[in-house]
Amino acid sequence: MNRTLLIVDDNEDIRQQLKWGLSSEPYQLVFAQDVADALEKFRQASPQVVTLDLGLPPRTEDASQGFACLEELRKRAPASKIIVITGFESREYARRAVDMGAYDFFLKPIDLDELKVMVRRAFHLYDIEQESTSPKPVVGRKATPAGIVGESEQMREVMENVSKVAASDVPVLIQGESGTGKELIARAIHELSPRKAGPMVCINCGAVPENLIESEFFGHERGAFTGAVSTVRGKVEYADKGLLFLDEIGELPTNLQVKLLRFLQEMVFQRVGGRKNLEVNVRVVAATNIDIQEAMRAGTFREDLFYRIGVVTLKLPPLRERGQDVLLLAEHFLRKHGEGLGVKNKTFSKDALDALVRHSWPGNVRELENSVRRAVVMSTSSSITSADFGFEPVFAGDSVSAIPTVTTLKEARSMVEKQLVEAALSRSGGNIVKAAETLGISRPTFYDLLRKHGIDQ
């Protein structure tokens, strides 16, 4: 991608300073000195990132020219990231600019190292948004089925394994926490398989009342029980020549586990109240969020059934371990729900992006989608802030973060350590020296912490 940075500033000395200081950066530099010049250069160059001095001529106390330029640039290309630079003493101008849709703000005097970091992050976010708004979601920049979004190494490995198992009829067990997207993975297996023209039928084993679950699976004959006024086909029959997805199979009652095992061995069954053997041809994919090994030790899940359904096991990583996938998914859901709710051109503010990265996401992708949807509804400006997500805050000095979900003291310490490092990095604008000084540690130690917690500079 050809990257272009438009610098709008009426001060010739500052333009020369930035031209010299940013000359080694991997993008083309374009300069403008007033509103008309900025709009024309913007039209010609289509920059992904803009630095905009609010004090454009003719100068006024309310920076009207700068705000007018910002408003027009946002109208012409809402996806472009605009970093407002202001020399005004009050931060009110910066806050107002962010409310109008500016990506971030920078107060003069300009620190080139800090500005470089901010511009790099703006380009990075622009790239993420463009990938998430492409016609098909991507994993490793390759088209993926079932609407799966992700670029982390964990998801690359999952999708590679999906491609391997899809071509055969081998039973697959998908394991992962609630909300990690197990049904999406099952759907991806189906869409990539030779059975894709057939149906995919889902049964939530934990949602059907125990006295009805056998009928849900295998159907029933008329008169089989009180209220059975007609013959009803079960989900197994509807899945013939397709895929049967057994969600939350760990919740299946033990007595039905025996009948399911018998069915899986022969692909033959009888409806409840019936005597005729019926035969189907289905592929079975199951999923669970419980520890199956522990369930087998406890006697609540049959070992022979596990070995039947778990010929291949796929493990989905929780969202908190997927790194920058959080931002990629957030942008995907912002576009999806923004369009669905009739709200266009909303973006995430810097503090919103920080909150997304800091949150531990105990509900995983499902929680993230609901949080973004809430934020779209609750946001009253073009820029979504962290407050719009509705996270419960934890106050630590001048920082606010989402409450982490931890189970051990070691995990809690690691979480707090990571938050302190991220907060120091954010306050320093990415300046490692300043961030290390803030925490009272050396630069080598700070770099060690970045590597330990997988934090990108």
Side-chain angles (χ1 to χ4, degrees), residues 371-383:
S371 296
V372 172
R373 187 177 185 183
R374 178 192 189 280
V376 170
V377 173
M378 299 303 292
S379 175
T380 57
S381 69
S382 61
S383 183

Side-chain angles (χ1 to χ4, degrees), residues 405-412:
T405 299
V406 295
T407 57
T408 66
L409 181 59
K410 180 180 180 182
E411 187 180 355

Side-chain angles (χ1 to χ4, degrees), residues 138-156:
V138 296
V139 172
R141 302 185 188 279
K142 295 179 181 179
T144 61
I148 296 171
V149 176
E151 289 189 348
S152 63
E153 286 300 318
Q154 295 95 323
M155 289 307 296
R156 291 173 190 265

Side-chain angles (χ1 to χ4, degrees), residues 303-315:
E303 285 191 36
D304 47 4
L305 179 57
F306 168 74
Y307 293 122
R308 174 65 63 175
I309 64 172
V311 176
V312 174
T313 299
L314 300 180
K315 294 185 178 180

Side-chain angles (χ1 to χ4, degrees), residues 195-419:
R195 294 175 176 265
K196 63 182 179 181
M200 174 175 168
V201 178
C202 305
I203 303 177
N204 189 324
C205 301
V208 183
E210 188 170 345
N211 61 327
L212 297 178
I213 195 165
E214 184 176 356
S215 176
E216 181 78 4
F217 267 81
F218 304 119
H220 61 262
E221 298 289 348
R222 179 181 178 183
F225 50 82
T226 302
V229 297
S230 62
T231 297
V232 174
R233 297 166 63 192
K235 293 289 183 68
V236 165
E237 285 186 73
Y238 284 110
D240 190 26
K241 297 182 175 57
L243 182 143
L244 180 66
F245 177 56
L246 305 178
D247 197 11
E248 304 305 344
I249 195 172
E251 305 294 331
L252 198 64
T254 307
N255 64 322
L256 195 59
Q257 290 180 28
V258 178
K259 296 181 179 181
L260 177 61
L261 177 63
R262 188 178 301 119
F263 163 71
L264 293 177
Q265 290 171 337
E266 304 293 337
M267 288 292 161
V268 173
F269 67 98
Q270 294 179 354
R271 297 191 186 114
V272 176
R275 288 186 170 84
K276 180 182 179 181
N277 285 339
L278 302 173
E279 186 175 349
V280 292
N281 178 6
V282 301
R283 179 183 190 169
V284 175
V285 174
T288 183
N289 62 4
I290 71 169
D291 186 334
I292 286 289
Q293 299 295 332
E294 180 60 35
M296 288 192 294
R297 286 191 291 269
T300 59
F301 199 87
R302 295 178 61 96
E303 285 191 36
D304 47 4
L305 179 57
F306 168 74
Y307 293 122
R308 174 65 63 175
I309 64 172
V311 176
V312 174
T313 299
L314 300 180
K315 294 185 178 180
L316 294 190
L319 184 56
R320 61 182 173 274
E321 296 178 2
R322 290 175 56 180
Q324 294 298 310
D325 279 0
V326 173
L327 299 182
L328 193 62
L329 283 160
E331 294 291 342
H332 170 71
F333 292 137
L334 177 60
R335 177 173 176 265
K336 171 184 174 182
H337 293 297
E339 292 178 352
L341 295 169
V343 180
K344 297 182 179 180
N345 301 331
K346 278 191 181 290
T347 60
F348 291 116
S349 66
K350 185 174 181 296
D351 77 300
L353 294 172
D354 290 341
L356 288 169
V357 172
R358 286 198 304 266
H359 192 51
S360 57
W361 301 112
N364 293 293
V365 179
R366 185 182 295 117
E367 180 190 1
L368 173 60
E369 180 169 10
N370 289 337
S371 296
V372 172
R373 187 177 185 183
R374 178 192 189 280
V376 170
V377 173
M378 299 303 292
S379 175
T380 57
S381 69
S382 61
S383 183
I384 290 174
T385 69
S386 59
D388 296 322
F389 293 121
F391 296 147
E392 294 185 40
V394 171
F395 294 93
D398 61 347
S399 65
V400 181
S401 64
I403 295 178
T405 299
V406 295
T407 57
T408 66
L409 181 59
K410 180 180 180 182
E411 187 180 355
R413 286 172 175 165
S414 178
M415 184 73 72
V416 172
E417 185 179 77
K418 181 180 179 181
Q419 289 183 348

Side-chain angles (χ1 to χ4, degrees), residues 44-116:
Q44 294 174 355
S46 299
Q48 295 90 351
V49 179
V50 179
T51 65
L52 172 63
D53 182 13
L54 285 180
L56 295 177
R59 293 180 179 273
T60 60
E61 291 186 1
D62 60 355
S64 59
Q65 291 298 303
F67 284 118
C69 186
L70 171 61
E71 183 177 15
E72 185 61 30
L73 292 178
R74 288 282 299 149
K75 287 180 181 178
R76 295 189 180 194
S80 294
K81 302 302 168 191
I82 302 175
I83 300 171
V84 167
I85 298 178
T86 176
F88 293 95
E89 294 296 325
S90 174
R91 288 175 175 259
E92 287 302 317
Y93 295 103
R95 294 193 184 100
R96 178 182 166 191
V98 171
D99 285 341
M100 291 175 62
Y103 163 69
D104 210 336
F105 65 89
F106 199 92
L107 299 178
K108 293 181 180 179
I110 294 175
D111 183 309
L112 275 173
D113 289 334
E114 294 182 10
L115 183 61
K116 285 179 182 179

